[in-house]
Amino acid sequence: KQEVTQIPAALSVPEGENLVLNCSFTDSAIYNLQWFRQDPGKGLTSLLLIQSSQREQTSGRLNASLDKSSGRSTLYIAASQPGDSATYLCAVYSGGGADGLTFGKGTHLIIQP
Amino acid sequence: KAGVTQTPRYLIKTRGQQVTLSCSPISGHRSVSWYQQTPGQGLQFLFEYFSETQRNKGNFPGRFSGRQFSNSRSEMNVSTLELGDSALYLCASALPGGGEQYFGPGTRLTVT
């Protein structure tokens, strides 16, 4: 059974810093990996999708990498801003009739102005 | 292009009642999935529908059911509500083939 772990569970940094959020998964046989952000009481906003054949994806100040063989992904946020404060969730899809996305518990990020 | 919409946004029900939640996917998306989010368990997969057929089902009791209509809109039903069913219920749509999942704003269900 696939399990996804996100470290750290919470992070508080001053504005302007670059930061890295980590995600690990137990079964490397994944189809893709997706990073989301969730604001309090809201739905999930998709940030980046990485297919299993890809090593990284970039969108603006965000860069996500995938090392499928070691079961790891990182989300890099450059020049953090207070508006980046949210919970960041990592989810993997194993495909082939798998039971939907398997999510980590998330990293609660606070950017101090 | 309109996003995924869910109705109602908030719901308060009493134990033992039943509830129906609705989800309208992004135009052209035929895959609809449902997830339950609670503080203790996080996000858990409920079920997925594609072309009106349930493709996968997570580890939830039979009180949780769903269906999908020919226009890809989906509903989920929870019967005999329990206090533990209080959660944020999220719907996601995607193109077929395991592509990017787009989530709606969720329905906050409170069972008293």
Side-chain angles (χ1 to χ4, degrees), chain A residues 31-32 34-36 38 40-49 51 87 89 93 95-105, chain B residues 9-10 33 35 37 39-45 48 55-59 88 90 97-106 108:
Chain A
Y31 189 81
N32 60 44
Q34 202 166 346
W35 282 94
F36 297 90
Q38 185 174 31
K42 303 289 180 64
L44 277 61
T45 300
S46 178
L47 297 174
L48 290 163
L49 171 74
Q51 300 292 351
T87 295
L89 294 152
Y93 179 67
D99 297 335
L101 293 170
T102 301
F103 283 86
K105 292 292 178 71
Chain B
R9 293 293 312 281
Y10 304 91
S33 300
Y35 293 83
Q37 186 177 31
Q41 299 297 318
L43 275 147
Q44 294 183 286
F45 171 75
E48 179 195 3
R55 285 213 294 197
N56 297 302
K57 183 173 169 58
N59 189 25
L88 181 66
L90 293 160
E100 190 167 2
Q101 300 265 344
Y102 296 88
F103 280 77
R108 170 74 63 184

Side-chain angles (χ1 to χ4, degrees), chain A residues 1-111:
Chain A
K1 179 188 167 190
Q2 180 74 269
E3 292 182 2
V4 178
T5 303
Q6 291 188 245
I7 294 174
L11 184 62
S12 181
V13 301
E15 180 177 7
E17 282 201 6
N18 303 323
L19 53 99
V20 175
L21 308 183
N22 296 292
C23 170
S24 62
F25 44 95
T26 54
D27 185 348
S28 63
I30 65 169
Y31 189 81
N32 60 44
L33 182 147
Q34 202 166 346
W35 282 94
F36 297 90
R37 72 173 274 168
Q38 185 174 31
D39 295 286
K42 303 289 180 64
L44 277 61
T45 300
S46 178
L47 297 174
L48 290 163
L49 171 74
I50 310 179
Q51 300 292 351
S52 62
S53 58
Q54 298 175 316
R55 296 299 299 259
E56 66 178 297
Q57 282 285 351
T58 297
S59 176
R61 295 182 294 109
L62 305 178
N63 176 277
S65 67
L66 174 64
D67 184 342
K68 204 174 74 161
S69 61
S70 67
R72 292 180 183 179
S73 176
T74 62
L75 178 66
Y76 176 82
I77 303 176
S80 59
Q81 304 171 357
D84 295 330
S85 298
T87 295
Y88 289 79
L89 294 152
C90 165
V92 300
Y93 179 67
S94 299
D99 297 335
L101 293 170
T102 301
F103 283 86
K105 292 292 178 71
T107 294
H108 181 53
L109 176 65
I110 296 175
I111 307 298

Side-chain angles (χ1 to χ4, degrees), chain B residues 33-63:
Chain B
S33 300
W34 289 88
Y35 293 83
Q36 180 196 65
Q37 186 177 31
T38 59
Q41 299 297 318
L43 275 147
Q44 294 183 286
F45 171 75
L46 281 157
F47 26 67
E48 179 195 3
Y49 285 87
F50 177 76
S51 292
E52 303 178 66
T53 301
Q54 186 181 89
R55 285 213 294 197
N56 297 302
K57 183 173 169 58
N59 189 25
F60 278 83
R63 300 184 296 106

